[in-house]
Amino acid sequence: MFTLPQKDFSAPTTCLGPACMQDLGSSHGDDLEGECSRKLDQKLPELPGVGDSAMFSPDTSYLSSRGRMIKWFWDSAEEGYRTYHMDEYDENKNPSGIINLGVSENKLCFDLLSWRLSQSDMQRVEPSLLQYADWRGHLFLREEVAKFLSFYCKSPAPLRPENVVVLNGGASLFSALATVLCEAGEAFLIPTPYYGAITQHVCLYGNVRLACVYLDSEGVKVKGLILINPQNPLGDIYSPEELQEYLVFAKRHKLHVIVDEVYMLSVFEESVGYCSVLSLESSVLPLFPRCALCRLPDPQRTHVMWATSKDFGMSGLRFGTLYTENQDVATAVASLCRYHGLSGLVQYQMAQLLRDRDWINQVYLPENHARLKAAHTYVSEELRALGIPFLSRGAGFFIWVDLRKYLPKATFEEEMLLWRRFLDNKVLLSFGKAFECKEPGWFRFVFSDQAHRLCLGMQRVRQVLAGKSQVAEDPPPSQSQEPSDQCR
Ligand SMILES: Cc1ncc(COP(=O)(O)O)c(C=O)c1O
């Protein structure tokens, strides 16, 4: 562990796109990665540590200081999410509702998933599934997870079920790892811009902070490094060499590395090569022998995360898994699974799903990738037609879009105003500040949705931008919210 910053601190770098600088101290996140308010932004830089109760609203005596801090995150950060859920678009019931291009979900494959999950092999009720189980998860599921990750992560040696813990999603896993790895007030390094909700995941229970890799603030003990691969929001993929550089750097400083691979099967561009940290060969890491995570520079401090939320388009099902060689960490996380565990019935279904390699390889993945690619192509072409620059990567569900020219002034207030205009015009996007992007004007567009919703969402985006590009200060022209024929 070491303390940041030293002003000359340097971490291994990777290409983060043009918008990756960030100050320490304004780290925060939100559950919907698209809507933290200025209130949050104004307060956090003054905080001696996120979670300092003195900074949070004293307006209720019902809550503890922790409770106030937790409520404050909700109040401050979830405006767009709440607004969306009160007014969700529905083609028939609410055609003038909000189109959600802000939350990173894959809504393209419900037909395939509902078919698979309703097959007869999914229906099983037996006593053990209704009783308390090993908090790490049933062995039958951990065996399937180990085989699944060995296969899809291309691990040179079979991964082991005793290193697997299953729980209800990636967010819970961040929360559990932060709590068991760090003291309150310590921090993880994270390259920016990043999936901003991690701030909340590590803070709410663990009182742990995030320190952006590019930073110029002071005095927080760093305990680990978080790598998201493929990255959210950029869609970047780390090369084996970059991964190695990070791992060696982390080992040198005795840092834990949490590698979040929740988008690993959502690489839809065939030309893009993806390398899981679990696949690193001894040619990349020549000093280390070939035995699962033992090949890694510091296997006891390397922890891999995967979930079905993204790769299987099941964010509502809540299934995530940890792979770690460190039995202390696995046991401590498993102990928290008493609060974050999965029902026996869901564990059974997940085991059935993960073992069905034929369906996954021959039906689900090819179709999912084709649909992701088509949706990505559609939004990319729309953006190109508008002359809007963006980063295009071929992985994940989102495009990182440069709307800087639509801000009259390069400030986060203007970014927020633009975001609000989109929301007023019934399209929810995520703005760059929520990802700790240092440069105002970047937005994340989620494209993994059905064609008619994408089409209508882009139509509403165009309306707002047309209004802004003509007279920046004017409100957008009034629009009909009915879907046009071309979006049906
Ligand atoms: C990179 C990344 N990790 C983790 C999560 C959380 O996943 P889950 O829904 O399984 O909690 C998300 C959700 O957006 C994400 O983008």
Side-chain angles (χ1 to χ4, degrees), residues 150-226:
S150 301
F151 182 79
Y152 288 103
C153 296
K154 300 190 176 65
S155 134
L159 300 174
R160 301 211 304 258
E162 59 269 32
N163 299 334
V164 172
V165 180
V166 297
L167 74 176
N168 61 348
S172 303
L173 188 46
F174 270 121
S175 169
L177 283 172
T179 304
V180 305
L181 296 179
C182 301
E183 306 299 338
E186 290 181 339
F188 286 111
L189 288 175
I190 190 163
T192 60
Y194 67 91
Y195 157 58
I198 297 175
T199 307
Q200 191 169 349
H201 301 336
V202 300
C203 177
L204 291 193
Y205 285 122
N207 197 0
V208 171
R209 305 179 62 175
L210 294 177
C212 296
V213 167
Y214 298 100
L215 49 88
D216 47 38
S217 189
E218 73 295 321
V220 58
K221 282 182 182 168
V222 169
K223 200 62 172 280
L225 168 68
I226 295 172

Side-chain angles (χ1 to χ4, degrees), residues 121-133 138-141 343-349 351-352 355:
D121 66 330
M122 290 285 169
Q123 321 302 330
R124 173 102 154 240
V125 181
E126 59 184 45
S128 66
L129 298 179
L130 301 183
Q131 292 159 1
Y132 292 124
H138 281 285
L139 181 59
F140 67 76
L141 174 57
S343 91
L345 300 179
V346 167
Q347 294 198 40
Y348 182 77
Q349 290 189 324
Q352 293 299 93
R355 78 158 57 103

Side-chain angles (χ1 to χ4, degrees), residues 2 4-16 188-192 211-215 222 224-227 238 242 244-250 252-253 255:
F2 62 92
L4 274 181
Q6 301 101 359
K7 286 262 185 212
D8 59 350
F9 163 77
S10 74
T13 54
T14 187
C15 175
L16 291 168
F188 286 111
L189 288 175
I190 190 163
T192 60
C212 296
V213 167
Y214 298 100
L215 49 88
V222 169
L225 168 68
I226 295 172
L227 297 178
Y238 293 107
E242 284 170 329
Q244 180 194 28
E245 208 185 331
Y246 273 113
L247 295 173
V248 169
F249 163 83
R252 194 174 336 125
H253 295 283
L255 297 178

